[in-house]
Amino acid sequence: MAAIDRPQNARSRRTREALLTAARKLIEEEGFEATTMAAVAERAGVSHRALYLHFASRGDLLTTLYGHLGAAEDLRASLDRVWSRPDAVSALEEWAHHMARAHPRIMAVSLAVERACRTDPDAAQMRGVTMRNWHLGCTRLMAWLADEGRLAGAWTVETAADMLWGLMSWDLLERLIVEKGWSPERYGDHLAGLFRATFVADPR
């Protein structure tokens, strides 16, 4: 029996991967509005029935796509470099470099979601998950700075987390990387300097 189950499971995984890849490509190439369940099934080359066996709704598909992007681009490994730093200041700087490494790779999907979220509840749901996770990371960083006595005096953990979260703007990334032609490395270096100058207290 196991010999029969393994190919079926492998085929199911391949179908799921194809559907998520198709959803990503549709968003990147044609926009969020064009990413319907029917369009995803057609792009992936599967039946509507097969699609609904994996995802109950468009919202389910697109929320799963958020996690899939993280896995496809290995964002966890990039984030691990932040939380493995020996102190809060270097972790804050590494957060900037994480943004520079990871965000350009998922920018097309994320910008499409941003543009659609005011009128599309599925896009709003996907954006909400992203923003909550970002803010949790920002709060963790600022609490770490405060615990080490390095959070600049003008800030509380809450206000500093809010400001750092606000600076994680797709608009800022698009303007500097796309419109001004900055490399991700340059973006990360300058962002790290900005974060350090804004949030870190002089140890003296």
Side-chain angles (χ1 to χ4, degrees), residues 80-100:
D80 284 346
R81 291 169 64 176
V82 176
W83 306 122
S84 64
R85 300 299 299 172
D87 59 82
V89 174
S90 64
L92 179 65
E93 294 171 343
E94 190 61 38
W95 184 263
H97 292 295
H98 161 68
M99 290 170 58

Side-chain angles (χ1 to χ4, degrees), residues 75 78 81-82 92-107 167-168 170 173 177 182-192 195:
L75 302 190
S78 183
R81 291 169 64 176
V82 176
L92 179 65
E93 294 171 343
E94 190 61 38
W95 184 263
H97 292 295
H98 161 68
M99 290 170 58
R101 285 190 299 269
H103 286 192
R105 303 203 301 268
I106 61 173
M107 181 167 60
L167 291 169
M168 294 176 67
W170 293 113
L173 179 70
I177 296 276
W182 283 22
S183 67
E185 293 76 16
R186 185 181 187 188
Y187 181 75
D189 288 343
H190 284 293
L191 203 60
F195 289 172

Side-chain angles (χ1 to χ4, degrees), residues 121-179:
D122 293 333
Q125 179 184 359
M126 190 174 175
R127 181 184 184 276
V129 172
T130 304
M131 293 299 109
R132 283 191 296 275
N133 286 340
W134 281 11
H135 200 272
L136 285 171
C138 293
T139 301
R140 180 178 174 183
L141 278 169
M142 294 310 170
W144 191 0
L145 272 179
D147 288 345
E148 292 185 352
R150 299 301 307 276
L151 183 61
W155 302 103
T156 65
V157 169
E158 292 75 16
T159 59
D162 287 350
M163 181 60 77
L164 180 60
W165 175 79
L167 291 169
M168 294 176 67
S169 162
W170 293 113
D171 184 58
L172 178 64
L173 179 70
E174 185 179 35
R175 287 186 182 192
L176 294 175
I177 296 276
V178 177
E179 295 185 26

Side-chain angles (χ1 to χ4, degrees), residues 13-34:
R13 287 192 296 272
R14 288 196 299 271
T15 300
R16 183 181 177 87
E17 181 75 20
L19 288 165
L20 291 167
T21 299
R24 178 178 184 175
K25 293 292 187 183
L26 277 167
I27 292 173
E28 290 176 341
E29 296 169 10
E30 300 183 33
F32 203 88
E33 296 78 3

Side-chain angles (χ1 to χ4, degrees), residues 47-97:
S47 68
H48 289 190
R49 180 178 180 277
L51 170 58
Y52 282 101
L53 284 173
H54 288 275
F55 302 105
S57 66
R58 183 171 178 258
D60 180 27
L61 168 64
L62 294 169
T63 301
T64 305
L65 176 60
Y66 170 75
H68 176 72
L69 284 174
E73 300 296 344
D74 202 13
L75 302 190
R76 174 57 57 190
S78 183
L79 272 173
D80 284 346
R81 291 169 64 176
V82 176
W83 306 122
S84 64
R85 300 299 299 172
D87 59 82
V89 174
S90 64
L92 179 65
E93 294 171 343
E94 190 61 38
W95 184 263
H97 292 295

